[in-house]
Amino acid sequence: MKISINDYALGAGVATDLVNTAPEVHAAGEALPDPESLSRFLADHAVALDAPGPSAADLRTVRALRTRTRAVLAAASEDAAVRGAAALAERAAAGPVLERDGDGGWQWYATTAARARLADELGALMGVGLLGAVRALGHGRFRACASPVCDGMFVDTSRAGRRRYCMPELCGNRIHVADHRARRRGGPGG
């Protein structure tokens, strides 16, 4: 797999979404209960890996990767986040390569080692993305969800840097609905 070093939003987005598949984040429980759900997750994120389709063993290693990735997002310092992201990337990433992109411009790519396992390739994609996010945006963009009923984490890659929720369509909507109901009852916030 070839990973654009400059396209950190892809890897950071996959890291965010993978971390938020955990049962402690999803009210419905484990969002990756079987290899088929992992395959759908990868397809939904347009992640084309060199490794074959997910097996039960791949699912276990990706869940372990999810835990390590959450630790990177929750790191208290930039140095700890960089060390953790580099560890994710180093497992499968082979050195950077300079190539022309589709528009004819020059682009740095990290490539994954031949015959890398699925979790290692995914770790390389996320690690490179998280390192790019730290470089371009800073460690302050690694955040916990602002929803009091959510344990999610995310990397805010938005231009303005004002994202507050791990899953805005879910967590943000819950907060807005609760605030609306409180206002209608004349309670706090209304």
Side-chain angles (χ1 to χ4, degrees):
M1 172 175 41
K2 223 167 44 170
I3 306 161
S4 170
I5 293 174
N6 294 333
D7 186 11
Y8 61 83
L10 171 65
V14 171
T16 291
D17 291 347
L18 180 64
V19 164
N20 294 322
T21 63
E24 61 269 15
V25 176
H26 260 267
E30 176 63 64
L32 296 176
D34 52 42
E36 292 75 29
S37 61
L38 176 56
S39 186
R40 283 190 302 276
F41 175 88
L42 297 170
D44 289 348
H45 291 82
V47 176
L49 302 173
D50 293 335
S55 66
D58 289 326
L59 180 62
R60 284 190 298 279
T61 58
V62 167
R63 285 180 181 166
L65 173 65
R66 175 176 68 190
T67 301
R68 291 193 313 274
T69 304
R70 182 179 178 86
V72 173
L73 297 186
S77 71
E78 185 172 290
D79 287 347
V82 167
R83 282 192 306 275
L88 293 177
E90 288 171 351
R91 290 187 63 155
V97 177
L98 185 62
E99 295 181 7
R100 290 204 182 266
D101 62 18
D103 297 330
W106 290 100
Q107 176 76 256
W108 282 103
Y109 293 95
T111 57
T112 54
R115 297 191 179 131
R117 294 183 346 208
L118 187 144
D120 291 339
E121 284 192 77
L122 194 54
L125 172 67
M126 294 186 308
V128 167
L130 294 173
L131 288 168
V134 169
R135 180 190 56 77
L137 304 172
H139 177 252
R141 295 287 188 103
F142 290 27
R143 302 181 183 147
C145 187
S147 172
V149 295
C150 181
D151 196 27
M153 303 286 301
F154 65 95
V155 179
D156 182 357
T157 58
S158 69
R159 178 170 284 177
R162 294 187 207 130
R163 182 173 165 183
R164 297 181 54 213
Y165 305 106
C166 65
M167 295 176 271
E169 67 285 351
L170 182 64
C171 298
N173 191 45
R174 285 179 182 159
I175 295 295
H176 296 303
V177 167
D179 287 348
H180 173 75
R181 288 180 179 155
R183 281 192 304 275
R184 290 195 65 188
R185 285 191 310 266

